[in-house]
Amino acid sequence: MWNNWQYRVLAILLALACWYVVSGQEKVETWLEVPLEFVNLPPRMEITSGLVSKLQVRIRGTSNQVRSLNVGRLAYKLDLGKINVGTNVIPLVPESMTITSAVEVVEISPTRLELVADVVVSKTVPVKLDWTGLPGDDVQFRNATVFPDSVTVTGFASALESVNSISTALVQVPPDESLTASGRARLLMPKDVRTPVSSVSYELQFGLTTQELWVKMNLEPVRYETFSYTFEPKFVRIKLEIPVRLLKDKDWRENLHLMIDPGSNPAIGQSVIAPAPRFPEGVSILEAKPEEIEIVVQRNEEFVP
């Protein structure tokens, strides 16, 4: 029986070869993980949500063909050329993915994507200075300036839709009695909004709190040796704007003087002049009755050449 052992071995090898060939042609199905690639995305448009990086793909083919696939080179290419701003429902269909003519794509998971797209835009908005505090008592705010007073911001259209201004970080005015406060303030940017400017310079201007009141004041003449003069009337009624802190001094009126001063070389005879105020800083005349005073100037005889 051992005389034909060579034929027996050959028969076994042929059987194995047939089995291998037949088994290699057997249809099989399997799941593969492939990357998702986006192509033809319109300029300045971005996907803000719904992105996935991998897909599960079920394929069918012979075992030999499946084993010979180069999985590292497989990808599902999704064409975004017609995507719109907002939510886009995009189906993922097996027909859009071709591996080889011999291997069939049966199913893709997930079957669709909900991609939210937005476009990047820019616009210029004013800068709003956020501040608090006063430098002292009886002080009021007058004016605020910032530089630059506007900035160009960039972001998604949906994020910029409600952005009408950019605020600064809160500035605390020091209580140092100064009527100005200046420095730099950091800009507070909303989410998904950016600008090349990180901070702005600012200046706050304050003034003394004032009160308006009418006062009757005597006119005080300025004396000169070379001439003399008379004037009428001897007093005026004036409407003053006075700092409140000055009014807290019970003797505040003693600091107010309204002078008649024709100058060192006036015209001889009759003329009219306006009273000259000598007031503390912050006191100003709003109205006077009368506004001008009649004076009569004559030379002193001892100084006539």
Side-chain angles (χ1 to χ4, degrees):
M1 62 179 284
W2 297 105
N3 294 334
N4 297 324
W5 66 269
Q6 297 95 336
Y7 297 106
R8 295 177 182 272
V9 171
L10 181 59
I12 293 173
L13 292 176
L14 290 174
L16 290 174
C18 291
W19 173 84
Y20 179 80
V21 170
V22 172
S23 64
Q25 298 302 315
E26 180 184 4
K27 292 287 187 177
V28 297
E29 292 186 0
T30 187
W31 285 93
L32 300 177
E33 186 177 71
V34 301
L36 177 63
E37 296 181 359
F38 298 109
V39 295
N40 298 329
L41 183 66
R44 302 184 66 186
M45 187 173 287
E46 296 184 20
I47 306 301
T48 59
S49 68
L51 285 174
V52 296
S53 59
K54 300 286 186 179
L55 298 177
Q56 300 294 323
V57 177
R58 183 161 65 96
I59 63 173
R60 178 186 299 142
T62 65
S63 57
N64 285 341
Q65 292 167 337
V66 170
R67 283 195 299 267
S68 64
L69 286 177
N70 187 349
V71 179
R73 301 183 63 179
L74 299 180
Y76 188 100
K77 297 185 182 297
L78 185 61
D79 190 348
L80 299 181
K82 296 182 179 180
I83 197 169
N84 298 313
V85 173
T87 301
N88 299 262
V89 179
I90 302 177
L92 302 177
V93 295
E95 293 79 8
S96 297
M97 183 177 182
T98 301
I99 298 178
T100 68
S101 58
V103 177
E104 177 187 3
V105 178
V106 179
E107 182 182 355
I108 295 177
S109 179
T111 59
R112 67 177 188 172
L113 295 178
E114 291 190 9
L115 301 180
V116 179
D118 211 338
V119 63
V120 177
V121 298
S122 298
K123 70 177 182 178
T124 299
V125 295
V127 175
K128 179 182 177 182
L129 180 66
D130 190 9
W131 63 276
T132 185
L134 290 172
D137 296 332
D138 302 320
V139 174
Q140 60 185 353
F141 169 72
R142 290 288 176 84
N143 188 42
T145 57
V146 293
F147 181 81
D149 58 2
S150 62
V151 293
T152 299
V153 293
T154 302
F156 292 125
S158 57
L160 289 186
E161 184 177 1
S162 60
V163 178
N164 299 315
S165 64
I166 297 297
S167 297
T168 67
L170 183 64
V171 172
Q172 179 70 49
V173 177
D176 57 4
E177 299 295 332
S178 174
L179 295 182
T180 61
S182 59
R184 294 196 66 84
R186 179 172 54 87
L187 294 179
L188 300 178
M189 302 304 298
K191 183 181 179 182
D192 297 328
V193 177
R194 55 190 182 274
T195 180
V197 179
S198 61
S199 64
V200 296
S201 60
Y202 69 87
E203 181 176 272
L204 292 165
Q205 297 176 345
F206 302 91
L208 298 177
T209 304
T210 59
Q211 181 177 331
E212 297 179 5
L213 70 164
W214 283 94
V215 178
K216 181 180 179 180
M217 293 192 64
N218 294 324
L219 298 174
E220 304 176 33
V222 177
R223 304 297 182 182
Y224 292 91
E225 294 182 352
T226 59
F227 63 90
S228 62
Y229 60 93
T230 58
F231 59 89
E232 288 292 340
K234 302 299 183 183
F235 65 87
V236 295
R237 294 181 66 248
I238 57 175
K239 185 179 182 180
L240 296 177
E241 185 178 32
I242 304 178
V244 172
R245 62 174 56 175
L246 179 61
L247 293 175
K248 292 181 179 180
D249 183 355
K250 64 179 181 178
D251 299 324
W252 63 270
R253 293 195 60 157
E254 296 181 5
N255 296 315
L256 304 179
H257 302 278
L258 204 55
M259 314 303 296
I260 293 296
D261 186 2
S264 61
N265 188 27
I268 302 301
Q270 184 176 345
S271 61
V272 293
I273 63 173
R278 295 182 182 176
F279 297 159
E281 183 179 0
V283 180
S284 59
I285 297 177
L286 301 178
E287 189 176 347
K289 296 182 179 181
E291 295 182 352
E292 294 182 324
I293 306 299
E294 292 185 1
I295 66 171
V296 178
V297 179
Q298 59 185 10
R299 288 191 183 279
N300 292 337
E301 293 182 358
E302 59 270 27
F303 288 97
V304 175

